[in-house]
Amino acid sequence: KAGVTQTPRYLIKTRGQQVTLSCSPISGHRSVSWYQQTPGQGLQFLFEYFSETQRNKGNFPGRFSGRQFSNSRSEMNVSTLELGDSALYLCASSLELQPNYGYTFGSGTRLTVV
Amino acid sequence: SQQGEEDPQALSIQEGENATMNCSYKTSINNLQWYRQNSGRGLVHLILIRSNEREKHSGRLRVTLDTSKKSSSLLITASRAADTASYFCAPTPNQGGKLIFGQGTELSVKP
């Protein structure tokens, strides 16, 4: 079966712009989580969605938002981009909120803000 | 939230040697998971050990869990250059909640 698909793979944006990243989970998976990874801060949890509802949220400003659609696909949006938003954004999916077999991650979207 | 702390931060070994990484956490867990990340890529789930299990094997991987000490270890036997990656532990709390990753252990296996 297809894995977790994140698009686009690479993105270059200018400060002040906004960006939307997409994540398609494994078919049948209803939980989607988002992470930001930077060399300085490591892997930081952004939010988790399950059945179109946000279930958990990390400590990020309101410029970071997300949503999940009825087909479980998820998008995250970052408005008013800052240089510090440059990072690898990872999406992970699972069947349920607290899976007994772990999460499956996508390959990530590399965002560069210039 | 629950965060795993991996130790050591970096480990360099020769091919064929064993690699041991440790993870400590603070509160009660439902399970603990280990992930691998090759440079700039997504994380790959390696193994999940439940709180009522003490040891689990998967191929060349062996994971132990000591809930009394709130610690876990990941052993990779007969390491290969392809094992070069960062390894993260992720404790899953009893009451549910998100996975919080530590800084990871950066493993380098030299041929």
Side-chain angles (χ1 to χ4, degrees):
Chain A
K1 57 184 176 182
V4 177
T5 304
Q6 289 189 247
T7 56
R9 286 296 311 280
Y10 301 93
L11 204 48
I12 299 176
K13 288 286 189 178
T14 305
R15 262 184 309 175
Q17 286 186 314
Q18 75 163 13
V19 67
T20 299
L21 310 182
S22 178
C23 172
S24 293
I26 288 175
S27 178
H29 283 195
R30 294 190 294 164
S31 170
V32 174
S33 302
W34 288 89
Y35 291 83
Q36 181 198 64
Q37 187 175 32
T38 59
Q41 299 297 318
L43 274 162
Q44 291 190 286
F45 173 80
L46 279 156
F47 24 66
E48 179 175 27
Y49 287 88
F50 182 81
S51 294
E52 301 178 68
T53 303
Q54 187 178 90
R55 299 303 179 112
N56 279 298
K57 191 176 189 305
N59 294 324
F60 278 81
R63 301 185 296 108
F64 291 81
S65 63
R67 58 178 176 169
Q68 186 179 34
F69 301 96
S70 58
N71 62 357
S72 293
R73 190 177 72 84
S74 177
E75 288 181 348
M76 67 162 281
N77 184 278
V78 188
S79 62
T80 319
L81 283 166
E82 300 176 0
L83 295 179
D85 298 332
S86 294
L88 179 66
Y89 289 87
L90 293 166
C91 160
S93 79
S94 65
L95 260 179
E96 53 211 16
L97 265 179
Q98 195 164 3
N100 288 316
Y101 56 85
Y103 292 82
T104 304
F105 280 78
S107 295
T109 293
R110 172 77 61 185
L111 171 65
T112 302
V113 182
V114 297
Chain B
S1 61
Q2 175 71 281
Q3 178 174 358
E5 296 290 341
E6 295 91 350
D7 173 68
Q9 288 189 342
L11 182 60
S12 182
I13 59 175
Q14 295 293 130
E15 221 170 15
E17 293 181 338
N18 295 342
T20 300
M21 289 159 266
N22 302 298
C23 170
S24 59
Y25 56 92
K26 291 188 169 60
T27 62
S28 297
I29 59 169
N30 177 277
N31 64 63
L32 187 141
Q33 303 170 39
W34 285 91
Y35 290 82
R36 182 189 76 226
Q37 183 181 34
N38 291 88
S39 182
R41 307 287 294 179
L43 278 73
V44 173
H45 179 256
L46 295 175
I47 198 164
L48 181 153
I49 186 165
R50 293 183 175 78
S51 59
N52 61 353
E53 298 175 309
R54 292 295 166 257
E55 189 171 309
K56 201 161 181 180
H57 297 254
S58 177
R60 294 183 296 112
L61 305 180
R62 174 179 157 240
V63 168
T64 61
L65 179 64
D66 187 334
T67 52
S68 66
K69 294 181 180 177
K70 292 186 169 54
S71 67
S72 174
S73 67
L74 170 67
L75 168 69
I76 304 175
T77 59
S79 62
R80 305 166 181 167
D83 295 328
T84 294
S86 292
Y87 291 81
F88 297 89
C89 71
T92 305
N94 270 336
Q95 67 274 27
K98 55 209 184 234
L99 290 181
I100 304 293
F101 295 93
Q103 292 298 312
T105 292
E106 199 172 318
L107 173 66
S108 174
V109 182
K110 300 185 188 312

